[in-house]
Amino acid sequence: MLTETLLAWIVVGAPTVLLCVLGAWSLTGRRLSERFMARAVQAAIVAGLLASSAILTIMLVSDSRHIVIEVGHWVVVPDYHFSLRFMFDRLSVPFVILSYVLCGTIGSFGSRYLHRETGFNRFFVLYAVFLLGMVATSLAGTIETLFAGWELVGLSSALLVAFYHERPAPVRNGLRVWSVYRVSDAALLMAALMLHRMTGEGNFDALMGTGSWPFGEATITGGQALVVGLLLVVAAAGKSALVPFSGWLPRAMEGPTPSSAVFYGSLSVHLGAFLLLRVSPVLALSPLLCGVIVALGLTTAVLSAITERVQTDIKSALSYASLTQVGIIVAEIGLLPPLLGPWACYIPLVHILGHACLRTLQFLRAPTLLQDYRLLENAIGARLPRSNALLQLLIPRPIQIWFYRFAMERCYLDAWLDDFVVDPVLRLFQSLDGLERRWTTFLAGRPSHPREHVQPTATIFEER
Amino acid sequence: MSTTEAMTSRQSEKQRHDDRAGRLERLRHAIEHAGHLLPSQGPITVFVHHNTLHAFEDLPFDEAVKSGGKTFGCEPYLAEERYREALERGRIRAVDLEAVLRRDLSRRSDEPILSLGTRFDLRLAMLTHSIQSGPAAELRWFVAETDALERIRPDAPPAARERLLADARRWAQPDSIEARQGTQGRAEEDRLHKIMADALHHFGDPTKNDWSSRTWEKFMLQTLWRICREGTRNLKPVAASPPAITRHRDLLFQATACDIDLLVNDVLIRYCAAYLDQGFAHRLLPDRDRGFFQSFCTIHRQPFGSPERWQRGLEQELTRLQDGQIGPLACLAESLDRLGIREEKWDQYLSATLLSLRGWAGMIQQVESRSDRVVHAIRPGSLVEFLAIRLVLERFALQFVAREALGYTGPLADLPKAAKARIPHATPPVAEKRAFVVFQLAQLLGWTPSELHRLSKQEWSTLIEEIESFSNIDRRRILHGAYERRYFNQALDAVATHAKRSASRPEKPWFQAVFCIDDREESFRRHLEEASSDIETFAAAGFFNVPIYFKGAADAHYTPLCPVIIRPKHWVTEEVAHPHHEEHVRRTSLRRAIGTATHRIHVGSRTFTSGALLSAGVGLLASVPLISRILLPRLAARVRQSFSRFIEPPPLTQLRLERTEETAGPEGGHIGFSVEEMANAAEMLLRDIGLTSRYGRFVLIIGHGSSSLNNPHMSAYGCGACAGAYGGPNARAVSQMLNDPRVRTILAERGLPLPDDTLFVGGFHNTCKDSVTFYDVDRIPASIRADFDEVRKTIEETCDRNAHERCRRFESAPLSLSPAGARRHVEERSEDLAQPRPELGHVTNAVTIVGRRSRTRGLYLDRRAFLTCYDPTQDDADATILLRLLQAAIPVCAGIGLEYYFSHVDPQGYGCSTKLPQNVSALLGVMDGAASDLRTGLPWQMVEIHEPLRPLFVIETTPEVMLNVMERNASIGQLCHNEWILLATLSPDSSDLHLFRDGVFQPYTPETTELPSAKSSFDWYSGWRNNLDFAQIPA
């Protein structure tokens, strides 16, 4: 047992140490050499990967299904506690191994790809944040731990989307990703609070009963499960870009190719599905909740499959392809376990693992598309055929054209969100701001500070 | 009466109709004119280097970069700091800067500026020292928070420093204070007195307590600062004309900070990509064949469309246009009317509008005009249609933003007025800014407080005007001139000095090798020549005078292998040798099966069902290639190669070079050349490079290309003379022609007898991996096989050494690599998915030398020179050969040099900045991230270590001949006269150089006749990473 605990500590400790070293050094303002950073990332990942593989072996050999390490409590009050704990079971171990393998590979890729780039240091600091976030999320034994990891992943992805902050588009899109993540975070936080209200703690053990994943039995009622479950679904939808949040996924392609690959091709985009898998025993309690999940997953999958068909650039095509599979995986989570029993949770898990590897490879090879097409044309001996779906012949032309535009404008999801969510919220807050100003003016007897008016910088050629 | 009325009305109707037609014609013309400014980069798979500011070539370089910069919002030169940094490390010498400044000022140079020194001194100080400036708030911070008012600038010359301090000391003397108190009356004196009194009050009496030198310094600076502020107060503001604003968008942006281009481009980027798509998307754009305009209308007029609020009403508008048969031009005219753009403003408005999405607009223009270069051509007139749609969208966006952000709902024609009213008119305060500039210059030039305080208001104005007339761009122009002068002089000195060492061709050469003129082959040739003095090298443009469409044994289509300006007239195929025919057929079908399966997987993995099955079923298997290719790229490449050996076409192939039919064509007997044509091509090659006697046992003709992964710009690394493709087949073809006995007979008749025992062998140099492969080795007679193996061994060793010289420029390659290790390093680079710099391309190019190799053999040129072989002694009086060579060499080499120049000085505007976030779109080009304008120019990774210089040409001929050539070819003349390139001639029979400046050739006097020498190239470069000086190497 001691060995396991020690190994478990390495799995969690390696990325923590990495982040501390890289982060602390960067805070001093001195630059680390590229070689040192690359080596440090490699060392941490190899250590973590070996330790987690060893744990997997031990679990398989000794048939132990559940290892928990307790880091300590953050807050303890009667009937209430927040604790930091990590849990190794049949869901978290494969997921953490996947994270290590992909992060290791992409880390090695990135250290060559970003050679001499001004943001090299920043990239790897954010990468370490991401790695720690992934490990913490995968291994989380309490919903608070999961939330902490979830936040780290969100923060690092938004900052990596805005990696080229000297141009406006990455910053704009990074902000958009960040806003969607905040919605999803808020939902997760609310779910955590409700769990605390129901069970007195955020531990997944307490929630899922004694059986280890996926055979746990939840200790809450169906009604409670529905409410918590719906919040978790919103959280998952934001993180995994499910409908109606799908619009951010292609926008997130602003960062360097390796970060796009690891975030939106493989790891981060699957986190929503992972969250749902983690609470699968809760889902089993409410058929209605399962229905919602299946519907959401399938809608996402179908819409993004349609959208993918008209994409003309490789990265958008891949991100919608990714989303199609994520939608299917989510639908599987809602559909299969209730039908086939808890063991069916392994199907979406395998799907996640396979999809992550496949898509990462495709993303990394994306810039080589032109050469690939040439090779394929030469092998086939002709121009590449456009796939012609049979459906296309059956559907009347006006409908086809309508769907073409629908797909080209990405199912209008962003416009819809802007119109029905962003704008009303903005208006609401602006009118609240107006009220407050009037109120403070009334109280102070003189007008409060005027709003700062920022003049846009003229981008016109200036002769100094 | 009624008839007359009817007639007049009919007449006026006809006139109106004519007017309308004429107006539309003028509009079409205006668009054509505006289109010239668009980037002329075609599809990225055929990358052609060209002058980024080609549209401005009719202007002199310095004016062109300035007005080009204004038009495109780009930088004309490097930033001032970059030049100062070059000045510090000695890359620019003080003499260069002085010489260039004197030349620029000429007679105005020694004119005095008030009593403060000459104009030359003032400007030199402004050039050599960085003068802090910035917005008033920043300066205020600078003055308050740094020691600007406490310490004299550390870079102030000691003399100036002394002068200032002495002046302060003299000033603070009690008697001088009293003396000045006597001269009451003048307002300035009063103010000065007040300043002094204040300062003295603050610091205490200098006579009583012994001031330290630091206190004197502080006292002096504070006085100086106050005098400067006093002097620059209330002067005339800068008479800068505000930048002309043409588009409504710009005004609205300034008034509301809302950019309508964001809205419009969002729609247009997606749509343009779909329209131009060369086969990536699964679904074809509906009505694509009806053109941009109609297709857009068809798609966007559907009911229940976008909920975007700014697009409300677009459906009705498009329906009106499409159903009312309103064509793109008429629609455009209508939009312009609604926007209130008068006809004389059309040009300006349209070009500004086109430039707001210049990458895509430029690509539409390119695809439209060169339909032969793309798979899916588009209809002519697409650019007009693009513009028509763009303006329709702009109208909607303008209306929307004007209403939402400005509360304006009137007609668009009056929008500019409404927007202007809302732009705050705060002219930034300039007095402090000016004061600070004078304050700094005073320290650098020793202008004392008393000198400055004596200046009248009028004189202050003159001073400020003088300083401000030397603007940032002018300073950079001079600095750039000095930066160039240093290299040009070094190069010309080296050529002149080296040319004195008269080398002659080897009497009995062992073998000869003909390469491309490419700068990357310079080192290869040098290393080869260093191997033995009996080896000779030559260079010709890498298609070796054989422009062909070529189809390899495993290729699906013909590829044009020649410069883009030429359309080939001949087709050549590679065929598998007959005994292997069955094997070939078997392998072809195997390849087809594998290819089809791969394509299915590639497409299927992105779809719903197959994607699910693939990723859930076998997705985990993808981890094997993923991990192996990234962690062990070289091993993975080896494994792939050994696998592909079983599916490649059998290695024994031959070219189908001779046609049996009368006319040339792509099929059957039409493929190939006639014997006569072969002889013509072969003769031209030999005469161009001057290889007409003293043939070696072997003549190798070696084309080149570059292979790499994850590199959308791969074709920019290829052979420029083969439109970015591989030049191997051309080399192979011309070798085969030259070996043909019938060709040799014809050549002998034309006075070019080839020895019977000379064999031509074609080859291919991969400049990324540094490998050379030879063609048709099986046809080398057994009797000389051993000899050839010897040649081959030398070439292999040269590959290692060349790789070694290249590796010094890669920071990730240790300097301690052995030549063999360097070869492994470059091989890995070409096979690494994670490598954004597989090779560095033309990054070091700087000079083109056209002449006999014997004039430059043994000169270390550091891979910076294009070398074209030309023997002036064999040319005729009309310089036919020279003209022919320069017609190709000048546009190509100048195009490369200038494209690198612009992509380096403004990587964001002229180049395509970093390639790391790039995304291949429509199989035509790259975007930044998921949606952006199409990025043209070169990525930063390609140009990072480039020294931006105008290309220098040294041509071995006389000035008279060169002037004649310039006259006969207008475009060469224009480039030279407008100084886009710098031109020098090297006399064919002495080492005299003539430099073409201000329209005439003047003799060039070398600055030095010393040239360092080294034992070998290796000795000279090893241990160094940066650009190296010229040196003599025994070879």
Side-chain angles (χ1 to χ4, degrees), chain A residues 112 116 308 313 365 423, chain B residues 309 606 630 811 832 919:
Chain A
R112 276 168 283 160
R116 288 176 71 92
E308 196 277 332
D313 63 281
R365 290 177 51 86
D423 274 0
Chain B
R309 281 190 294 143
R606 304 205 306 257
I630 286 160
E811 198 189 298
D832 190 355
N919 180 7

Side-chain angles (χ1 to χ4, degrees), chain B residues 697-722:
Chain B
R697 187 78 191 75
F698 298 97
V699 180
L700 313 177
I701 299 183
I702 299 177
H704 73 108
S706 172
S707 69
S708 53
L709 292 174
N710 258 2
N711 185 7
H713 291 88
M714 190 164 93
S715 130
Y717 294 84
C719 176
C722 295

Side-chain angles (χ1 to χ4, degrees), chain B residues 28 58 63 77 80 114 179 256 268 320 366 388-389 409 439 633 666 714-715 798 818 832 841 936 968:
Chain B
R28 188 193 299 282
D58 53 335
E63 272 171 48
Y77 307 99
E80 244 179 308
L114 306 175
T256 65
L268 276 181
R320 178 183 75 86
Q366 288 298 314
I389 293 294
T409 48
F439 175 65
M714 190 164 93
S715 130
T798 308
S818 67
D832 190 355
T936 53
R968 274 150 71 200

Side-chain angles (χ1 to χ4, degrees), chain A residues 6-349:
Chain A
L6 185 68
L7 287 171
W9 272 105
I10 296 178
V11 175
V12 183
T16 317
V17 172
L18 176 72
L19 178 60
C20 291
V21 171
L22 298 189
W25 204 272
S26 305
L27 284 180
T28 64
R30 268 180 295 175
R31 287 178 72 88
L32 283 166
S33 76
E34 282 186 11
R35 188 184 298 258
F36 176 83
M37 294 199 85
R39 290 261 165 87
V41 171
Q42 253 170 20
I45 289 177
V46 168
L49 179 62
L50 289 180
S52 44
S53 313
I55 290 183
L56 179 70
T57 322
I58 292 173
M59 283 171 75
L60 287 178
V61 171
S62 68
D63 205 34
S64 70
R65 287 173 159 249
H66 203 73
I67 299 167
V68 173
I69 54 169
E70 195 76 57
V71 180
H73 293 289
W74 184 31
V75 177
V76 189
V77 289
D79 305 331
Y80 221 76
H81 67 117
F82 278 103
S83 62
L84 195 57
R85 68 196 311 225
F86 296 100
M87 184 165 78
F88 290 78
D89 62 12
R90 297 209 162 171
L91 173 64
S92 63
V93 171
F95 213 74
V96 86
I97 289 181
L98 175 78
S99 306
Y100 271 125
V101 168
L102 291 182
C103 284
T105 318
I106 309 275
S108 158
F109 185 96
S111 64
R112 276 168 283 160
Y113 204 63
L114 274 97
H115 173 55
R116 288 176 71 92
E117 191 76 5
T118 38
F120 189 94
N121 194 79
R122 186 158 43 98
F123 180 86
F124 277 99
V125 171
L126 292 174
Y127 199 68
V129 173
F130 171 70
L131 179 66
L132 180 62
M134 274 313 294
V135 171
T137 315
S138 329
L139 296 174
T142 67
I143 197 158
E144 299 86 51
T145 319
L146 189 135
F147 184 75
W150 186 270
E151 279 294 287
L152 291 180
V153 171
L155 181 69
S156 55
S157 9
L159 289 176
L160 278 173
V161 170
F163 185 74
Y164 293 102
H165 47 206
E166 65 277 8
R167 281 187 288 121
V171 179
R172 214 165 31 233
N173 289 328
L175 193 62
R176 181 132 193 147
V177 174
W178 180 239
S179 323
V180 174
Y181 276 0
R182 297 315 290 169
V183 174
S184 134
D185 295 343
L188 184 58
L189 199 61
M190 283 198 269
L193 281 175
M194 298 202 79
L195 274 183
H196 272 279
R197 297 291 297 173
M198 291 166 192
T199 63
E201 58 180 27
N203 295 13
F204 288 125
D205 292 1
L207 179 66
M208 251 75 88
T210 43
S212 62
W213 190 89
F215 299 103
E217 277 185 32
T219 52
I220 52 175
T221 66
Q224 288 175 323
L226 179 64
V227 180
V228 175
L230 283 179
L231 283 172
L232 290 176
V233 167
V234 174
K239 204 68 156 186
S240 286
L242 304 180
V243 167
F245 301 112
S246 313
W248 69 258
L249 193 67
R251 289 170 186 266
M253 298 298 143
E254 297 282 1
T257 305
S259 70
S260 305
V262 77
F263 284 83
Y264 315 112
S266 50
L267 295 177
S268 149
V269 78
H270 286 120
L271 270 189
F274 172 84
L275 176 70
L276 296 180
L277 272 183
R278 172 49 82 206
V279 297
S280 59
V282 175
L283 307 185
L285 293 177
S286 165
L288 180 59
L289 182 58
C290 289
V292 170
I293 293 175
V294 173
L296 192 65
L298 282 182
T299 317
T300 307
V302 169
L303 288 187
S304 35
I306 294 176
T307 310
E308 196 277 332
R309 295 187 65 76
V310 307
Q311 297 308 311
T312 45
D313 63 281
I314 178 73
K315 284 187 181 172
S316 303
L318 284 177
S319 56
Y320 277 106
S322 215
L323 198 52
T324 310
Q325 295 309 311
V326 173
I328 297 176
I329 291 168
V330 168
E332 284 167 2
I333 296 171
L335 183 69
L336 297 182
L339 278 184
L340 307 173
W343 65 267
C345 283
Y346 287 119
I347 297 175
L349 179 61

